[in-house]
Amino acid sequence: MTIRQTLRIAGSTFLPGDDGYDDHRRPLNPALDPHPAVVVRAAGAADVRTALLAARRHGLPFAVQATGHGTHVAHDGALLLDTSAMTRVLVDPDRRVARVGPGARWGDVLRAAAPFGLAPLSGSSPDVGVIGYTLGGGLGWLARRHGLAADSVLRAQVVTADGTLESVDAGHRPDLFWALCGGGGSFGVVTGLEFRLYPVERVYAGAVTFGRERAAATLAFYREWIERVPDALSTAVVLNRNGSLVVQAVYAGSPEQGQALLEPLWRVAGPVVADDMRVVEYAHTAMGGTFPHTFDQVRTLDDDLVAALVAEPDATVELRHWGGQITHDTGAAAHRDAPLSVVLDAVPSTRTAAALRRCGLGTAFLNFLRDPSRTASAFTARHWAALRRIKTAYDPDNIFATGLAVPLAALTASA
């Protein structure tokens, strides 16, 4: 049988040359131009299972893409499973729980939860896919207060490598459930996710822009100031290419308390060029973020690193405060105890690179990782070993091998 004959599904199938093939094969990253052997646009979990078994039957590599944000390699010659049509979102306001499909984006969940005064642990953009973000850990603006998105997962529906549709949680297949909560997509195709929502209706949020004249003093103050702020306050300091310094903040509390907490930082950074801090529904808090060309975490933001970041000539630099409830280690997502991350949207200067080698931890976080060869750096040695054992148990034929993949323990025992 041909691949098209094998794929008897409720959704759609696109082969090269078909109308729609080019529309569904492309990821968000314009640098990638993949040419899969076939694209399957699934309508439900049954289609996902059929597509997976068809890939195995025809000996095709298997890859999954929903919004395309997490695609880092071109899936040439593969069966590409497109889950973007599976957008179902259900909110149970009494249990404070949402159930979503693999095509759902955070904007869908925010709109569904907001009428009940509830909020998910969403990311910086409403266009990001919920499941890919959550499987990668999920660091959002409420993380310091409520933890990573992966920590709020209650149940996952997943098609495993042998085509079995499983419902996993802390009591059923707990090892697989643990791995899915921050370990990425190497263990199955998640076709549904259930997670907690939180009673956050409005926040005091926005950004305040300053000149760069006091940037060094601001970062020096920031490293001390973050040790005293409550978990309800999340902040980042951005040194833009255009010569400005921006303080981004989300405070899950009253504006008066938020202003009192932020005022010392603003005084050091001032004078103010622009101020858009305001009380806003959390569903409308789209703060954005810096493209993570370079990412590291630091325990110590010393004077030499401050000076290098302030003098960085060719990149936007973002320092973000972690801590709070992020440090509670419940799932596979690791490297939670560093107080700060540093992101640059381009190759750092020689000076900055040297300072990061000295002060940085050399760690990664799946949501911010672009290089599949560095996947192990997103985990502790203990977590990496556990993930490889779970991978080998549930996917011994290494079907889920694309992107930021966990390798089989038996194949790379020295890794």
Side-chain angles (χ1 to χ4, degrees):
M1 296 178 68
T2 66
I3 186 70
R4 196 190 291 276
Q5 290 171 325
T6 306
L7 290 165
R8 296 177 179 175
I9 59 173
S12 305
T13 302
F14 304 94
L15 295 174
D18 288 349
D19 290 341
Y21 173 80
D22 285 337
D23 293 333
H24 294 292
R25 70 180 176 86
R26 289 194 176 97
L28 190 70
N29 184 350
L32 298 177
D33 186 25
H35 288 82
V38 57
V39 180
V40 177
R41 193 166 193 253
D47 286 357
V48 171
R49 180 177 183 274
T50 298
L52 173 62
L53 294 176
R56 299 198 64 154
R57 178 174 180 173
H58 290 273
L60 296 175
F62 183 78
V64 183
Q65 181 170 290
T67 65
H69 285 79
T71 302
H72 303 291
V73 295
H75 304 310
D76 293 330
L79 186 153
L80 177 61
L81 177 66
D82 176 0
T83 61
S84 62
M86 299 170 64
T87 59
R88 187 180 186 186
V89 175
L90 297 173
V91 170
D92 183 337
D94 295 325
R95 293 178 58 219
R96 293 179 179 173
V97 165
R99 293 190 296 276
V100 308
R105 301 175 185 240
W106 279 119
D108 303 323
V109 184
L110 289 164
R111 285 188 292 273
F116 305 105
L118 299 174
L121 300 185
S122 54
S124 299
S125 169
D127 292 328
V128 169
V130 174
I131 287 183
Y133 169 90
T134 303
L135 296 186
L139 176 70
W141 286 100
L142 294 177
R144 283 183 31 80
R145 186 171 189 181
H146 296 296
L148 301 177
D151 299 334
S152 285
V153 175
L154 299 171
R155 184 174 294 106
Q157 186 182 61
V158 56
V159 176
T160 55
D162 61 0
T164 303
L165 180 62
E166 295 266 15
S167 181
V168 302
D169 56 28
H172 179 67
R173 308 281 192 197
D175 55 345
L176 178 57
F177 179 70
W178 176 85
L180 291 171
C181 293
S186 296
F187 312 95
V189 183
V190 175
T191 59
L193 208 61
E194 181 177 298
F195 50 85
R196 296 184 188 92
L197 301 172
Y198 297 87
V200 180
E201 185 172 2
R202 291 180 176 83
V203 291
Y204 178 59
V208 180
T209 302
F210 306 86
R212 288 279 288 271
E213 296 81 8
R214 303 182 185 178
T218 302
L219 295 188
F221 182 79
Y222 186 67
R223 69 190 175 199
E224 307 295 335
W225 174 81
I226 58 174
E227 297 181 0
R228 304 188 296 272
V229 300
D231 295 351
L233 178 62
S234 292
T235 57
V237 177
V238 181
L239 305 175
N240 281 317
R241 292 170 182 264
N242 65 8
S244 64
L245 181 152
V246 178
V247 176
Q248 296 178 309
V250 174
Y251 179 62
S254 73
E256 294 79 15
Q257 291 173 326
Q259 288 174 355
L261 289 166
L262 288 160
E263 181 62 34
L265 180 62
W266 291 340
R267 281 200 304 268
V268 175
V272 172
V273 175
D275 182 351
D276 76 346
M277 292 293 297
R278 64 203 184 283
V279 177
V280 62
E281 291 185 10
Y282 179 73
H284 298 150
T285 308
M287 301 289 289
T290 302
F291 179 73
H293 185 284
T294 300
F295 173 92
D296 206 344
Q297 294 169 297
V298 296
R299 292 193 188 282
T300 303
L301 185 64
D302 68 12
D303 290 343
D304 289 341
L305 179 55
V306 166
L309 295 176
V310 170
E312 177 59 45
D314 298 316
T316 289
V317 178
E318 176 185 305
L319 286 92
R320 183 158 180 173
H321 184 202
W322 290 46
Q325 301 304 306
I326 298 171
T327 61
H328 292 186
D329 187 350
T330 60
H335 304 314
R336 299 164 173 255
D337 57 349
L340 289 165
S341 63
V342 178
V343 170
L344 290 86
D345 69 352
V347 176
S349 67
T350 301
R351 179 183 182 185
T352 299
L356 283 174
R357 282 195 298 271
R358 183 172 47 77
C359 295
L361 301 179
T363 51
F365 191 73
L366 279 191
N367 289 149
F368 304 118
L369 186 60
R370 300 171 59 248
D371 181 359
S373 70
R374 295 192 61 233
T375 302
S377 66
F379 304 98
T380 64
R382 179 174 63 86
H383 281 197
W384 187 241
L387 288 169
R388 289 172 60 197
R389 288 194 299 269
I390 296 166
K391 167 71 173 181
T392 304
Y394 285 95
D395 185 16
D397 297 322
N398 203 24
I399 299 300
F400 309 115
T402 60
L404 305 176
V406 175
L408 291 172
L411 294 181
T412 55
S414 63

